Amino acid sequence: MVGAGAVAAATAVGCSTSSPMASTPSGTYSDADVLNFALNLEYLEAQFYVYAATGKALPSSMTSAPTGYTGSYTQGTVTVGSAALVAGTSTGQADIINEIAYEEQQHVTFLRTALGSAAVPMPSIDLSFFGPLAIAAGIFTSSQPAFNPFASFDAFLIGAFIFEDVGVTAYAGAAPLISAAGVAAGYLTAAAGILAVEAYHAGYIRTALTARAIAAGATSPTSSAYPYVGIANQVGALRATLTVGNSGTPGTGTGNTGVAGSSTSVEVPLNVPQSTTAASAIVAADSSRAIGFARTVNQVAHIVYGSPTVGVAKGGFYPNGLNSIFATTTA
């Protein structure tokens, strides 16, 4: 299982829970800053999935400042909103949610172990932001009940879709920030391993949405037989407006791959194929090269804050901002 892999990776890079990760300055940030940015995102994902699987939050031992921490960031709280055990799931669906929750917990554990006493505590997280986000995406209106990703398995898939594509692009975009010393120490290899797991999650979510639409007899993403594919595409369209620097059109095959100047769309809308030759777009990648997309730390922050405004430092899923040197967007 991925949990065992994460523990093995922690051993491979020679980390412990008591010693801080070596800080290797590269410009105005260090390798610890890069991994702490990832840890902030993993706190959010883990809280979402653990609530979905158990109806409970992560234990404080996984979110508090570690022993020996001397930084200025403080542990935040979770605004629960409607977060709860996902309702009405089958045994198989519950197993899937539990597996993803376990793996996201392991990501938090791995990064905290790798960072040691340099690991930042969890910032405040707002799981009620799904409601305003759904309004911004045009999924619901303000006069309707707030979108609840814990209300059903289909709603859960939309909640997961909000995070997983972003997680994949975040790791791809942050990878070049790791220093040469960090690469030699194994941090890039470990980050690549986490990216792979996030990509497995994203691929499952996209596949499940597509498969459930086909099983329901849907003939298009917006079919009333199964509207969730269309809803996912509305989420993707909103993310595109929040990915500051976007200039392309979704699905054109010219998306951001992390290469200088490749600042076009990183969104690939889902489809409901009606034949064996029709594309379903279950993989979010550059269609001309099949290379996954990347987002900068600024672009990721814009999405999780729910704002395209340059200089934004908090909001959305992080009401008080990220516990990170990258908390304020600069582009």
Side-chain angles (χ1 to χ4, degrees):
M1 293 186 70
V2 68
V7 173
T11 303
V13 297
C15 303
S16 71
T17 56
S18 58
S19 300
M21 189 187 78
S23 180
T24 308
S26 178
T28 58
Y29 55 84
S30 68
D31 289 330
D33 293 325
V34 176
L35 292 195
N36 268 318
F37 179 76
L39 178 58
N40 273 262
L41 302 180
E42 294 293 351
Y43 280 136
L44 172 59
E45 285 193 293
Q47 291 287 14
F48 169 70
Y49 285 114
V50 170
Y51 264 109
T54 69
K56 300 177 181 179
L58 286 172
S60 181
S61 60
M62 294 184 67
T63 60
S64 60
T67 301
Y69 178 71
T70 59
S72 59
Y73 299 113
T74 58
Q75 182 180 5
T77 59
V78 177
T79 300
V80 177
S82 57
L85 185 74
V86 175
T89 58
S90 67
T91 300
Q93 291 166 348
D95 284 346
I96 289 165
I97 297 171
N98 273 285
E99 179 178 346
I100 299 176
Y102 170 76
E103 290 158 356
E104 296 298 354
Q105 285 184 94
Q106 289 300 103
H107 290 170
V108 170
T109 298
F110 169 75
L111 288 169
R112 284 173 62 92
T113 299
L115 286 156
S117 61
V120 296
M122 181 195 75
S124 287
I125 288 173
D126 186 358
L127 293 179
S128 72
F129 183 62
F130 288 103
L133 185 149
I135 293 173
I139 298 168
F140 290 115
T141 67
S142 58
S143 63
Q144 294 175 299
F147 171 66
N148 177 7
F150 306 93
S152 67
F153 186 68
D154 291 314
F156 161 79
L157 291 176
I158 297 300
F161 181 85
I162 291 170
F163 294 136
E164 291 299 344
D165 284 355
V166 178
V168 173
T169 59
Y171 275 99
L177 303 181
I178 297 176
S179 71
V183 172
Y187 304 140
L188 181 60
T189 299
I194 296 177
L195 185 156
V197 173
E198 299 292 352
Y200 284 129
H201 294 169
Y204 169 76
I205 299 302
R206 285 174 161 265
T207 301
L209 285 165
T210 303
R212 289 174 70 78
I214 293 171
T219 56
S220 73
T222 56
S223 172
S224 60
Y226 188 83
Y228 294 95
V229 172
I231 290 173
N233 286 342
Q234 287 177 277
V235 170
L238 176 62
R239 287 193 309 224
T241 68
L242 296 174
T243 303
V244 176
N246 255 2
S247 60
T249 302
T252 61
T254 57
N256 186 339
T257 57
V259 177
S262 60
S263 60
T264 52
S265 181
V266 296
E267 296 293 341
V268 176
L270 288 165
N271 191 19
V272 181
Q274 296 301 299
S275 72
T276 56
T277 59
S280 62
I282 60 171
V283 176
D286 181 338
S287 62
S288 65
R289 296 182 296 170
I291 296 176
F293 297 132
R295 283 186 174 92
T296 66
V297 291
N298 279 302
Q299 291 171 332
V300 172
H302 281 298
I303 291 174
V304 297
Y305 290 159
S307 171
T309 303
V310 176
V312 66
K314 62 182 180 179
F317 290 108
Y318 295 93
N320 298 327
L322 296 161
N323 281 351
S324 168
I325 192 174
F326 302 112
T328 302
T329 60
T330 58

